[in-house]
Amino acid sequence: LQGYVGFANLPNQVHRKSVKKGFNFTVMVVGESGLGKSTLVNTLFNAPLYPAKEHAPLSEESPKTVDIQVLSTDIEENGVRLKLNVVDTPGFGDFINNEQSWKPILDTIESRFDAYLDQENRVNRSKISDTRVNACLYFIAPTGHSLKALDIEFMKRLHKKVNLIPVIAKSDTMTNEEIAAFKERILLDIAHHDIKIYHAQHYDCDDIETINETKDVMSKIPFAIVGSDKAVETSDGRVVRGRKYPWGVIEVDNEDHCDFVKLRQMLIRTHMEELREFTNDIHYENYRTEKLIAMGY
Ligand code: GDP
Ligand code: MG
């Protein structure tokens, strides 16, 4: 499993479309500092994306991400080339004044739209590089309470620019009952504040298996995730990626323990192409239109 991502198993039609050129997929992680964003990035893509020297086991003392950091890796599986980019953002929430802490994140998303727009306007458009953000994982602290004002502010700033996917960070610190109640609470808050999160569609699909898969994935949002890039031993002697507690091990890759597998499947396998389509057809198109109007066209 180590190093294997699984995008070569994309549905056939997508596979064919993307196989020749190779393609970009860019995920951004956003949320308060210390919620496990950098850890999840490593966990998500299996192969450590961080430079070796920084890949020392994370600890409470591990350096905080201070700038927006972009990590890329080229992966090839069964003749499919994928350039996977992860935008790791500094945590916010540590400052006395968090006003406008969303700005550098929004700027990053928009400057990537601008870069794409510039290339589209060129005479020679044969070599467009697409660095647009295809999905934004928004990390929610595992408090069990309603969303914080800052979370709402952030999500409202971002939801029209990017496919927003809320996740419950460090869900190993909550019981299953607490998670279920918290998910419900979060979805109510999101609806109440009119925040539009990513909603999988698969309109053009009449394959019952795909429809059920989509329903299943959607039913997990906000994904309750656990990140760990360390191997631990379970009581029955298996070595797994997980977090160890006196009462046992929470396994990252076990669907009964958390939603990590579902999240990863959605991003890398079942909904990658749709996330790219929404980025282009909805978010980028809105941005472009607004920009043209602002310029007086
Ligand atoms: P970031 O500031 O959001 O990038 O957070 P980090 O990835 O640097 O993690 C902060 C701390 O939380 C580290 O000590 C991690 O080992 C720990 N951590 C990361 N993910 C999890 C998780 O899923 N559960 C628990 N309990 N701790 C985690
Ligand atoms: Mg970090």
Side-chain angles (χ1 to χ4, degrees):
L1 188 80
Q2 195 66 32
Y4 180 75
V5 172
F7 64 87
N9 299 326
L10 284 170
N12 276 335
Q13 155 210 6
V14 175
H15 196 105
R16 256 181 282 120
K17 260 197 278 179
S18 311
V19 75
K20 286 208 197 88
K21 290 187 293 188
F23 58 98
N24 264 293
F25 190 71
T26 302
V27 179
M28 186 180 219
V29 293
V30 174
E32 232 174 278
S33 87
L35 288 183
K37 295 182 295 298
S38 300
T39 306
L40 187 84
V41 167
N42 279 334
T43 316
L44 195 56
F45 300 114
N46 233 334
L49 295 176
Y50 289 92
K53 61 173 174 3
E54 283 180 41
H55 195 247
L58 291 165
S59 69
E60 294 301 343
E61 297 85 43
S62 65
K64 292 202 173 114
T65 318
V66 284
D67 289 316
I68 288 181
Q69 228 183 343
V70 185
L71 305 146
S72 298
T73 181
D74 285 298
I75 313 175
E76 185 160 347
E77 267 173 25
N78 305 343
V80 184
R81 277 193 300 126
L82 166 67
K83 188 176 175 78
L84 191 59
N85 311 292
V86 183
V87 184
D88 192 0
T89 64
F92 51 84
D94 285 345
F95 312 105
I96 295 169
N97 184 1
N98 282 302
E99 235 175 276
Q100 302 221 326
S101 48
W102 42 267
K103 193 147 188 317
I105 289 161
L106 193 63
D107 286 348
T108 302
I109 294 173
E110 293 190 336
S111 69
R112 284 159 176 255
F113 282 154
D114 285 334
Y116 195 85
L117 192 56
D118 283 349
Q119 295 179 82
E120 274 193 328
N121 290 336
R122 271 196 225 140
V123 178
N124 179 358
R125 302 190 303 180
S126 61
K127 266 198 185 156
I128 291 190
S129 92
D130 185 2
T131 60
R132 294 172 298 181
V133 179
N134 299 116
C136 174
L137 303 182
Y138 189 87
F139 283 60
I140 297 167
T143 60
H145 308 304
S146 53
L147 291 179
K148 298 176 186 177
L150 194 59
D151 292 327
I152 293 159
E153 170 87 22
F154 248 82
M155 290 203 251
K156 284 200 150 181
R157 297 281 174 184
L158 299 178
H159 70 158
K160 297 218 170 115
K161 307 282 179 186
V162 71
N163 294 310
L164 191 61
I165 303 171
V167 303
I168 298 173
K170 300 186 175 182
S171 70
D172 52 316
T173 60
M174 300 178 91
T175 66
N176 287 344
E177 292 73 34
E178 286 170 339
I179 289 171
F182 194 33
K183 281 190 176 186
E184 220 168 284
R185 181 72 202 243
I186 290 169
L187 289 177
L188 283 174
D189 278 358
I190 282 175
H192 177 76
H193 291 283
D194 219 7
I195 294 165
K196 305 275 177 278
I197 57 174
Y198 169 64
H199 201 288
Q201 312 268 312
H202 277 313
Y203 276 141
D204 52 353
C205 179
D206 46 29
D207 169 26
I208 194 78
E209 218 175 290
T210 310
I211 291 169
N212 285 338
E213 197 167 31
T214 298
K215 277 190 190 153
D216 189 35
V217 163
M218 287 308 296
S219 74
K220 302 288 188 219
I221 294 180
F223 298 96
I225 53 170
V226 177
S228 167
D229 42 17
K230 276 181 236 158
V232 292
E233 193 174 343
T234 63
S235 54
D236 54 357
R238 287 173 299 125
V239 176
V240 298
R241 298 196 301 176
R243 306 193 81 92
K244 199 160 193 146
Y245 286 95
W247 40 264
V249 165
I250 295 251
E251 297 172 32
V252 165
D253 297 287
N254 186 331
E255 286 196 45
D256 294 333
H257 290 198
C258 72
D259 301 331
F260 171 78
V261 172
K262 273 275 152 4
L263 170 64
R264 185 173 192 258
Q265 257 176 21
M266 183 185 96
L267 289 176
I268 308 292
R269 199 163 59 81
T270 56
H271 291 78
M272 181 183 263
E273 194 58 22
E274 187 175 85
L275 286 161
R276 295 175 75 238
E277 263 168 36
F278 283 13
T279 303
N280 184 67
D281 301 354
I282 301 171
H283 301 301
Y284 174 66
E285 201 47 44
N286 284 343
Y287 181 77
R288 205 178 70 94
T289 307
E290 270 172 30
K291 186 132 190 169
L292 291 178
I293 289 169
M295 285 163 71
Y297 284 98

